[in-house]
Amino acid sequence: MDPADINDIVKAEWELKQEQLKSKLVCEDVEKWQNEKELNSLCYIGGVDLSFVKGDDFNACACLVVCSYPDLQVVYSDCSHIQLTAPYISGFLAFREVSFLVDCIEKLKHEKPEYMPQVMFVDGNGMLHPRGFGVACHLGVITDMVTIGVAKKLLHVDGIEKDASHAEMIKQLTKGGESFPLSGSSGKILGKVLRVCDESSNPVYVSVGHKISLETAVDLVHRCSKHRIPEPIRQADIRSREFLREKYEPKLRKQPRVKLKKTKDTSDTPSLDGRNCIDDDELDCVISLFE
């Protein structure tokens, strides 16, 4: 579906739905484990992610991973081929993705209920959103689960921008666990910028999804991060991409090789029309199949 097919009437309906669900949003700690210093009652943490085939607006992979806590070992993983029915429109990501994530959760409930996570990390934003109700909030409210939004890129909302001042504040985060709040022109704190580990200076953007405070969310994301991305989401991302590679890459490799043509700067540049494929060496250098 083309974004142009989503008219103002549909957007207005989506905004109304967001406002209705937002009235049920809980932005404080409500579970026993959230008030424990060492989180002793926390056993399982989930992560959900969607990976897409670049250039294909229809086929994707939805993945749910559950990790044990605190050792962060994968105890459950499920990848499903999905066919998207709505385009990506900024501010309405939930209407493109959430139904598939709910299906993953329902499948887990039915097949392995003993691994139901006590909190779900969502690759996307929660309250750091134009209307304060991103995909992590949406998923949390309709499933009644504790959710946390973890985004790799800053969404510019409420006057928050990735400008020189923002970059300078990031430089001041010198070790894992350090963070600073994202406060917009409204004065509300919508999330935090978190350096998750010493090894990576590139931060993530953490925001409340549902049934958790921002402080607890930031602390938990830090605890669950061996690398830049918290482990449950990282594993979901790895596995969903691998699923797509196995499903689509062999088909592409059977197609004709890309012919190289000279550009004005005399460098070799591939001529791609969406139907061609390339060999192993060119695959890594010329085209990124996955976002």
Side-chain angles (χ1 to χ4, degrees), residues 72 121 148-152 170 173-180 192-206 217-234:
L72 301 177
F121 288 0
I148 300 172
V150 184
K152 304 178 189 73
I170 289 177
L173 303 177
T174 58
K175 61 182 180 180
E178 292 185 345
S179 65
F180 63 84
K192 281 193 172 185
V193 181
L194 171 67
R195 177 168 177 164
V196 295
C197 61
D198 295 342
E199 291 74 19
S200 177
S201 60
N202 203 8
V204 295
Y205 299 89
V206 181
V218 170
D219 177 55
L220 187 57
V221 169
H222 175 231
R223 289 173 184 252
C224 293
S225 299
K226 299 178 181 180
H227 307 276
R228 181 201 172 199
I229 307 301
E231 200 63 14
I233 291 179
R234 179 174 172 270

Side-chain angles (χ1 to χ4, degrees), residues 227-261:
H227 307 276
R228 181 201 172 199
I229 307 301
E231 200 63 14
I233 291 179
R234 179 174 172 270
Q235 288 295 330
D237 178 70
I238 291 171
R239 291 160 190 261
S240 60
R241 288 170 183 261
E242 182 61 27
F243 177 90
L244 290 178
R245 288 188 186 99
E246 292 178 356
K247 186 175 181 65
Y248 287 98
E249 190 171 312
K251 296 179 182 179
L252 290 175
R253 293 190 186 279
K254 293 178 181 179
Q255 298 178 22
R257 288 169 53 89
V258 170
K259 293 182 179 180
L260 299 178
K261 63 181 181 180

Side-chain angles (χ1 to χ4, degrees), residues 1 47 110-111 114 140 145 180 185 205 207 212 253 273:
M1 183 184 295
H110 178 71
E111 296 185 354
E114 65 271 25
M145 295 184 71
F180 63 84
S185 55
Y205 299 89
S207 54
I212 195 168
R253 293 190 186 279
D273 64 0

Side-chain angles (χ1 to χ4, degrees), residues 12-25 95 129-133:
E13 291 174 349
W14 285 354
E15 287 186 14
L16 178 60
K17 184 64 175 179
Q18 287 176 330
E19 289 299 321
Q20 291 171 340
L21 292 174
K22 186 178 177 180
S23 66
K24 302 177 182 179
L25 191 63
F95 296 94
H129 180 268
R131 288 169 294 283
F133 197 78

Side-chain angles (χ1 to χ4, degrees), residues 18 21 25 48-50 88 91-102 120-130 132-143 147-151 155 207-210:
Q18 287 176 330
L21 292 174
L25 191 63
V48 287
D49 187 33
L50 263 65
Y88 169 75
F92 299 101
L93 180 63
F95 296 94
R96 175 176 169 88
E97 298 187 358
V98 159
S99 63
F100 302 108
L101 302 180
V102 171
M120 187 72 74
F121 288 0
V122 182
D123 183 20
N125 291 293
M127 294 185 66
L128 183 58
H129 180 268
F133 197 78
V135 62
C137 299
H138 201 122
L139 181 65
V141 170
I142 64 176
T143 60
T147 55
I148 300 172
V150 184
L155 183 63
S207 54
V208 169
H210 185 48

Side-chain angles (χ1 to χ4, degrees), residues 38-86:
E38 299 301 325
L39 308 181
N40 294 324
S41 299
L42 182 60
C43 299
Y44 296 118
I45 300 174
V48 287
D49 187 33
L50 263 65
S51 288
F52 305 88
V53 178
K54 190 172 183 179
D56 185 339
D57 296 327
F58 189 57
N59 294 286
C61 174
C63 183
L64 166 60
V65 164
V66 180
C67 294
S68 55
Y69 183 85
D71 57 344
L72 301 177
Q73 297 300 306
V74 175
V75 297
Y76 174 90
S77 175
D78 178 68
C79 289
S80 300
H81 171 238
I82 62 172
Q83 295 181 325
L84 300 165
T85 57

